[in-house]
């Protein structure tokens, strides 16, 4: 636990103020009389004192040795460095193959505002070109909400129609959701090390965490939808009208839960969060009822159809749980705003 000291602010004339720090602190941080210090103010009310500009630039660049000789090792290194929040990353290896170079270019295409800046036999330099001050994390979550829910609707329709080609059509949309989620994660990760990031984004740190947690769950919803579309490839024929109608109703309920929950986070609405939680109970009950009918065997008699429906219901259950968890995030934010943010 950090030590806490109380000091009085002293006026020394000419509109200048001073505050003393304990000698032990100065010794521990190698501060000496006459040393030039850097002071930074931040939007959250913090005043930060640094003895080195290097502390501020910790995320400016990094060098990453690629562990492995396959393309996946390069993709993993690019994504990991991007998620940490480095501005420029130099990948190094004894020698990069053409497949690895293609993997690097492919990886940056899946990241917002990132590009390959330079290549050599032993190095690949990747840079992030997007200024945080031009980014709206909230709007990115709004866009992710739209993409995830539209994917959910399209995948449900594909499954009900036994449309085996839908998975390939929807892959690009799932990639878009992944790009948005990775961008939000990157800015959240940078905020853990840099108060400047919070200033540029103009988002309080607690709200940024809520957006990050919501984006992760919306990304999961998008990938569950893609999985559902993939399951449609295994459905030999459309489900019976009765089962199909019940599945459509359950999927719509799941969509409403996720939509309400994400909106509750974005709009700071505890009431909408409670509606999402109540809706999640009903949606899960509908999924459970469908699963019971599945095991009865009366409505779904084909073994391949039963297996496909079981997988689709599993995706739907995960989607509802993502909505429920998002609603809980909104309620926590509301409790924080009511009991902490409003205190003087």
């Amino acid at each position: 636990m950090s030590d806490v000291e109380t000091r009085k602010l002293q006026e020394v004339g000419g509109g200048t103020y001073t505050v003393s720090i304990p000698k032990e602190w100065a010794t521990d941080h190698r501060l000496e009389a006459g040393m030039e210090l850097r002071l930074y103010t931040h939007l959250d009310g913090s005043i930060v004192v640094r003895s080195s500009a290097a502390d501020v630039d910790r995320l400016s660049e990094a060098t990453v040795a690629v562990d492995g000789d396959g393309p996946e090792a390069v993709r993993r290194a690019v994504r990991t460095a991007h998620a940490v929040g480095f501005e420029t990353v130099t990948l190094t290896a004894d020698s990069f193959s053409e497949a690895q170079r293609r993997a690097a270019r492919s990886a940056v295409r899946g990241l917002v505002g990132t590009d390959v800046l330079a290549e050599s036999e032993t190095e690949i330099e990747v840079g992030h070109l997007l200024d945080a001050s031009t980014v709206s994390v909230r709007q990115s979550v709004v866009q992710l909400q739209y993409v995830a829910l539209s994917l959910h609707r399209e995948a449900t329709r594909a499954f009900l129609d036994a449309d085996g080609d839908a998975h390939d059509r929807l892959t690009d949309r799932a990639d878009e959701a992944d790009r948005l989620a990775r961008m939000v994660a990157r800015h959240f990760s940078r905020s853990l090390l840099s108060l400047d990031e919070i200033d540029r984004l103009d988002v309080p740190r607690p709200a940024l965490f809520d957006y990050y947690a919501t984006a992760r769950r919306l990304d999961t919803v998008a990938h569950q939808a893609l999985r559902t579309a993939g399951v449609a490839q295994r459905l030999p024929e459309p489900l019976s009208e009765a089962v199909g109608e019940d599945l459509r109703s359950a999927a719509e309920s799941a969509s409403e839960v996720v939509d309400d929950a994400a909106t509750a986070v974005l709009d700071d609405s505890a009431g909408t969060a409670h509606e999402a939680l109540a809706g999640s109970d009903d949606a899960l009950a509908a999924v459970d009822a469908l699963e019971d009918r599945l095991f009865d065997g009366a409505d779904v008699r084909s073994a391949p159809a039963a297996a496909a429906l079981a997988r689709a219901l599993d995706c739907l259950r995960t989607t509802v749980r993502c909505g429920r968890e998002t609603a809980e995030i909104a309620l926590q934010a509301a409790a924080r705003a009511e009991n902490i943010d409003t205190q003087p």
Side-chain angles (χ1 to χ4, degrees):
M1 181 176 179
S2 299
D3 294 334
V4 176
E5 293 279 350
T6 302
R7 292 288 190 272
K8 286 187 176 180
L9 197 63
Q10 303 289 333
E11 184 174 5
V12 297
T16 301
Y17 295 86
T18 65
V19 62
S20 64
I21 62 173
K23 182 177 180 180
E24 294 80 4
W25 290 14
T27 301
D28 291 344
H29 293 277
R30 299 182 179 87
L31 303 180
E32 299 176 356
M35 178 181 289
E36 184 178 83
L37 302 179
R38 295 169 175 82
L39 278 67
Y40 303 86
T41 61
H42 295 280
L43 295 178
D44 67 352
S46 301
I47 299 177
V48 178
V49 180
R50 294 186 184 272
S51 60
S52 171
D55 291 340
V56 184
D57 299 329
R58 285 177 293 176
L59 293 171
S60 62
E61 59 184 25
T63 300
V64 178
V66 175
D67 184 15
D69 56 4
E72 184 55 36
V74 173
R75 279 191 288 266
R76 184 167 53 248
V78 171
R79 291 169 181 165
T80 299
H82 178 272
V84 172
F86 294 114
E87 294 293 336
T88 303
V89 179
T90 301
L91 307 181
T92 64
D94 292 338
S95 179
F96 284 111
S97 67
E98 182 55 35
Q100 288 179 308
R101 297 179 191 284
R102 287 197 300 270
R105 292 190 287 270
S106 174
V108 300
R109 284 196 296 271
L111 303 171
V112 177
T114 304
D115 202 358
V116 174
L117 303 180
E119 297 182 38
S120 69
E121 182 179 353
T122 59
E123 294 184 350
I124 300 175
E125 184 179 349
V126 176
H128 186 76
L129 310 176
L130 194 62
D131 186 347
S133 63
T134 66
V135 172
S136 170
V137 175
R138 183 185 186 280
Q139 189 57 39
S140 296
V141 176
V142 170
Q143 188 176 352
L144 178 54
Q145 177 187 13
Y146 171 78
V147 172
L149 291 176
S150 64
L151 262 171
H152 173 79
R153 289 190 293 271
E154 290 296 327
T156 300
R157 186 178 301 113
F159 185 81
L160 291 171
D161 295 341
D163 182 358
D165 298 327
H167 181 273
D168 292 340
R169 294 199 309 270
L170 298 179
T171 298
D172 287 346
R173 302 287 298 281
D175 289 343
E176 181 182 357
D178 196 50
R179 283 193 295 272
L180 290 166
R182 287 181 185 274
M183 184 182 72
V184 174
R186 170 187 169 83
H187 289 298
F188 171 70
S189 180
R190 284 179 59 86
S191 76
L192 298 178
L193 291 174
S194 171
L195 286 171
D196 290 339
E197 187 75 6
I198 295 294
D199 288 352
R200 287 193 291 267
L201 293 171
D202 196 20
V203 178
R205 196 186 300 271
L208 183 56
F209 173 78
D210 294 341
Y211 292 155
Y212 161 71
T214 299
R216 286 188 60 188
R217 285 157 179 82
L218 289 172
D219 191 35
T220 298
V221 169
H223 283 277
Q224 290 302 309
L226 188 64
R227 183 183 170 205
T228 299
V231 172
Q233 298 173 331
R234 305 180 183 182
L235 198 60
E237 59 186 14
L239 299 169
S240 68
E241 184 175 347
V243 173
E245 187 57 38
D246 286 347
L247 180 61
R248 180 182 292 105
S249 177
E252 289 175 353
S253 296
S255 179
E256 290 175 1
V257 169
V258 174
D259 194 18
D260 285 346
T263 299
V265 172
L266 293 164
D267 294 347
D268 299 321
S269 173
T272 306
H274 283 297
E275 292 176 6
L277 287 173
S280 70
D281 291 335
D282 295 338
L284 287 174
V287 173
D288 290 341
L290 261 172
E291 195 168 58
D292 290 341
R293 291 173 62 182
L294 173 64
F295 288 113
D296 287 342
D299 295 313
V300 185
R301 299 176 183 177
S302 162
L309 180 56
R311 291 186 177 91
L313 290 176
D314 182 58
C315 293
L316 200 54
R317 186 176 285 110
T318 300
T319 295
V320 176
R321 287 174 178 165
C322 284
R324 186 176 186 86
E325 291 169 2
T326 303
E328 290 170 350
I329 292 168
L331 288 178
Q332 292 165 13
R336 180 179 65 237
E338 183 176 354
N339 294 283
I340 297 178
D341 296 349
T342 58
Q343 292 183 10

